[in-house]
Amino acid sequence: MLNWIEKYRPKTLDEVVGHEKVKEKLKNWIKNFLEGKGGKPILLYGPPGVGKTTLAYALANTYGFDVIELNASDRRNASAIKRIVGQSAVSKSILGKRTLIILDEVDGISSKEDTGGVGELIKIAKIAKNPIIMTANDAYAPVLKNLLNYVDVVELKPLSSRDIYKVLKKIAEKENLNVDDKTLRAIANHSAGDLRSAINDLEALALSDDLHYESVQKLPDRNREKNIFDALRIILKTTNYGIATTALMNVDETPDIVEEWLAENIPYECENLEEVAKAYDYLSKADRFLGRAVKTQNYSFWKYATNLMTAGVALSKKQKYRKWTPYKYPKIFRLLTVTKSERELINKVLKKIAEKTHSSKKRARFDLNMLKIISIDNPKKAAELCIFFELTEDEIEKLFGKNLLKLVKQIKKEEKKIKKEIKKEEKKEEKNITYEKVKEEKDKKRKEEEEKANKEKKKEKKTKDKEKEKKKDKAKQLTLDSFF
């Protein structure tokens, strides 16, 4: 069964979405060849996935041309280009048809491995009687500097999200997909102008029965994925050591990620079981070096791993497969995306256990495994430990099940009840203490008042006694005065 990229690939120029000015230019250019006027080769350039090769094939189909293609997985030195392209550039095909020559990714021609490649292209461009279309991601790469004078440079810009949405809508209707416009627009926006990747994403989500807006948000970064797809195509298509080892030069991925991509896609490319076994053997050797790099923290081992997983896998093939292979996103990454929330939950639990036990996360993982065993043999003890580690209800339910959660709730309820009773008792005691305190204060105040009153009385009595004394003294004086 064809994948959707092939199933809905445009067959003619009219079926190609967007690029209206470029299509018009290509039509006029090819008509000049049909009228015997000829013309310079065209260099179509733009980011991966904007439709450079598709446009070239659609043009050939529209005007009935045979196609000869030379791509990045082939050796493209002077002798190889002369052998494959040289004669075709000036003659008709075996069936008498005109030939359109497609030279894919010419900016990837290596000055070391493809000696004289660009020079030979310039020679052919000068004498070509048949149309030649070259494609490149970067038309102004240093390697193409001398070629630019002999070609017409045509830029292909990324498609608009609106154009991509229209194509996705059409495919969704033909495939009877249950998907809303919001999700389709999200896929279109995520594609970054790459229609091929948008169709791939739509198909992948449809096959996993996960056509939801939230799932689109979890899709990997598109620019990084473009690079890895290009590298995969070179590694799995070529049988040349030099080309294979340079495949990862512009790929922003670590060797362990590339290894997963290769492991997923080797069976789709290789048709011979012996080749598949040999490719996986090289991949397993690469994995050993990746393991050593992590264990020793010596990342110079990566270069050995990279050579084994690129050149080793490439040279495992007895022949070069020229079929189109739909490379797939590694299942392990999708699985990791699905289990992300579960892994985050476990990490939170490990952190809590490590903090409470003053140990490392590694030790905490052992404690967590022991806790799972305890939850089976002694649920009550496990429930008490869960409370001690301050695990949430969600964490307990997902790690230990509903029964333990029920027990934890029950213990918490009992603890709450006991705490409530203790609080009640404390309040009673507090009331008694308050009453005693008030009584004591009242008694103290009463005593102070009594003491104050007694002092006042004594003072008053003293004053009265003084006055009596004065009166007595006065009386005595009067008596003496009268006597004298």
Side-chain angles (χ1 to χ4, degrees):
M1 190 176 74
L2 284 174
N3 62 42
W4 292 357
I5 291 289
E6 288 304 306
K7 192 174 179 181
Y8 298 103
R9 185 181 289 278
K11 300 293 186 292
T12 64
L13 280 177
D14 292 336
E15 293 176 13
V16 175
V17 176
H19 307 307
E20 297 304 325
K21 289 181 180 178
V22 176
K23 286 194 284 187
E24 199 58 43
K25 186 177 179 72
L26 288 174
K27 283 178 185 177
N28 294 331
W29 175 72
I30 205 83
K31 281 175 185 174
N32 285 339
F33 278 94
L34 291 170
E35 292 167 5
K37 295 177 184 177
K40 282 184 178 182
I42 280 185
L43 174 59
L44 291 175
Y45 81 96
V50 292
K52 301 184 289 289
T53 310
T54 297
L55 262 174
Y57 272 94
L59 181 69
N61 290 334
T62 302
Y63 291 94
F65 279 67
D66 280 340
V67 172
I68 289 177
E69 183 184 357
L70 193 67
N71 60 41
S73 65
D74 298 302
R75 287 205 70 166
R76 294 181 294 181
N77 56 25
S79 61
I81 292 171
K82 190 174 182 179
R83 186 179 70 254
I84 298 167
V85 180
Q87 189 60 33
S88 304
V90 293
S91 61
K92 291 183 179 180
S93 71
I94 298 168
L95 300 172
K97 285 185 176 182
R98 296 293 294 269
T99 304
L100 174 64
I101 297 162
I102 300 173
L103 300 169
D104 203 16
E105 296 184 26
V106 290
D107 55 333
I109 291 176
S110 166
S111 57
K112 186 179 178 182
E113 297 295 331
D114 302 319
T115 311
V118 174
E120 190 60 33
L121 284 180
I122 292 170
K123 286 179 188 176
I124 291 169
K126 288 177 180 178
I127 61 167
K129 291 179 181 177
N130 284 324
I132 298 173
I133 292 180
M134 304 177 196
T135 71
N137 294 331
D138 179 12
Y140 301 98
V143 72
L144 301 180
K145 185 180 176 182
N146 296 329
L147 180 66
L148 294 180
N149 294 327
Y150 302 94
V151 295
D152 279 334
V153 180
V154 178
E155 184 183 7
L156 279 182
K157 292 181 179 177
L159 287 167
S160 68
S161 297
R162 190 169 68 176
D163 284 336
I164 292 172
Y165 162 75
K166 285 176 185 176
V167 176
L168 296 179
K169 183 78 173 171
K170 191 177 176 182
I171 293 171
E173 286 170 358
K174 286 187 178 180
E175 295 290 333
N176 295 317
L177 300 179
N178 183 21
V179 58
D180 56 35
D181 281 355
K182 186 183 177 183
T183 304
L184 290 176
R185 290 186 193 282
I187 295 171
N189 290 330
H190 177 265
S191 68
D194 184 345
L195 179 58
R196 180 176 60 198
S197 69
I199 296 170
N200 273 333
D201 287 339
L202 180 65
E203 185 178 11
L205 292 171
L207 288 172
S208 59
D209 196 24
D210 196 17
L211 276 167
H212 304 102
Y213 179 78
E214 292 74 21
S215 302
V216 179
Q217 305 306 305
K218 294 175 184 175
L219 289 170
D221 180 65
R222 180 54 60 209
N223 290 327
R224 295 179 77 181
E225 196 170 307
K226 277 180 199 168
N227 286 338
I228 194 69
F229 272 117
D230 292 337
L232 275 179
R233 184 163 51 81
I234 294 169
I235 295 165
L236 296 175
K237 290 289 182 190
T238 193
T239 52
N240 180 274
Y241 177 90
I243 292 172
T245 51
T246 58
L248 300 177
M249 282 179 68
N250 297 315
V251 177
D252 185 23
E253 296 289 3
T254 53
D256 55 324
I257 299 295
V258 176
E259 182 189 29
E260 293 296 344
W261 279 92
L262 286 166
E264 183 72 29
N265 289 287
I266 285 168
Y268 298 111
E269 183 66 38
C270 301
E271 295 174 359
N272 186 301
L273 288 176
E274 192 183 328
E275 292 176 349
V276 173
K278 201 173 179 183
Y280 277 124
D281 183 49
Y282 277 112
L283 211 56
S284 68
K285 286 172 182 172
D287 192 60
R288 288 175 70 182
F289 280 105
L290 292 177
R292 285 176 192 171
V294 173
K295 192 174 181 180
T296 62
Q297 293 294 294
N298 180 5
Y299 289 94
S300 63
F301 283 117
W302 273 12
K303 63 186 175 187
Y304 304 115
T306 303
N307 283 341
L308 284 164
M309 71 174 67
T310 54
V313 170
L315 297 173
S316 299
K317 300 186 294 294
K318 292 178 182 176
Q319 59 176 316
K320 189 185 290 184
Y321 296 103
R322 293 195 176 274
K323 62 180 181 178
W324 188 86
T325 308
Y327 299 127
K328 299 185 184 297
Y329 190 78
K331 290 186 184 75
I332 184 68
F333 296 159
R334 295 202 185 279
L335 183 65
L336 289 171
T337 304
V338 172
T339 59
K340 187 182 177 184
S341 58
E342 187 183 333
R343 286 182 287 113
E344 284 177 351
L345 182 135
I346 289 170
N347 279 330
K348 282 180 185 177
V349 170
L350 291 176
K351 194 177 178 184
K352 287 178 182 180
I353 293 172
E355 283 175 359
K356 286 285 184 179
T357 57
H358 305 285
S359 61
S360 65
K361 269 193 177 182
K362 190 177 179 180
R363 169 67 200 189
R365 192 176 288 278
F366 173 78
D367 292 338
L368 179 60
N369 291 332
M370 291 305 295
L371 187 56
K372 285 178 181 177
I373 295 167
I374 294 167
S375 68
I376 298 165
D377 297 335
N378 190 346
K380 192 178 178 183
K381 180 57 70 179
E384 288 170 355
L385 285 167
C386 285
I387 293 165
F388 172 73
F389 291 133
E390 297 179 6
L391 305 188
T392 64
E393 290 183 3
D394 186 49
E395 289 165 352
I396 294 164
E397 186 179 353
K398 284 182 179 174
L399 290 174
F400 307 101
K402 289 183 179 179
N403 290 334
L404 192 71
L405 176 62
K406 198 176 177 183
L407 190 58
V408 167
K409 283 181 177 178
Q410 193 180 327
I411 292 170
K412 279 185 176 179
K413 199 175 180 181
E414 286 172 5
E415 283 182 356
K416 203 175 180 182
K417 197 177 178 182
I418 292 165
K419 279 180 182 178
K420 205 174 181 182
E421 286 174 2
I422 291 167
K423 213 170 183 182
K424 213 174 182 182
E425 289 296 321
E426 283 175 352
K427 276 186 178 179
K428 274 185 182 180
E429 284 177 17
E430 203 176 305
K431 275 183 181 178
N432 290 333
I433 290 164
T434 308
Y435 175 74
E436 290 294 329
K437 212 173 183 180
V438 169
K439 194 181 176 185
E440 196 179 314
E441 282 179 2
K442 277 185 177 180
D443 288 342
K444 193 179 178 182
K445 199 174 181 182
R446 186 171 52 78
K447 280 179 182 178
E448 283 176 356
E449 284 174 355
E450 282 177 358
E451 281 177 7
K452 196 176 179 183
N454 288 332
K455 277 181 182 179
E456 289 290 330
K457 278 181 182 180
K458 281 178 181 179
K459 197 176 179 182
E460 198 176 320
K461 192 181 177 185
K462 205 174 183 181
T463 307
K464 281 180 180 179
D465 288 344
K466 276 183 180 180
E467 284 177 357
K468 276 181 182 180
E469 286 293 323
K470 277 182 182 180
K471 279 180 181 180
K472 276 182 181 180
D473 289 342
K474 200 174 181 182
K476 279 179 182 179
Q477 188 68 37
L478 285 168
T479 308
L480 286 168
D481 287 342
S482 61
F483 175 77
F484 287 108

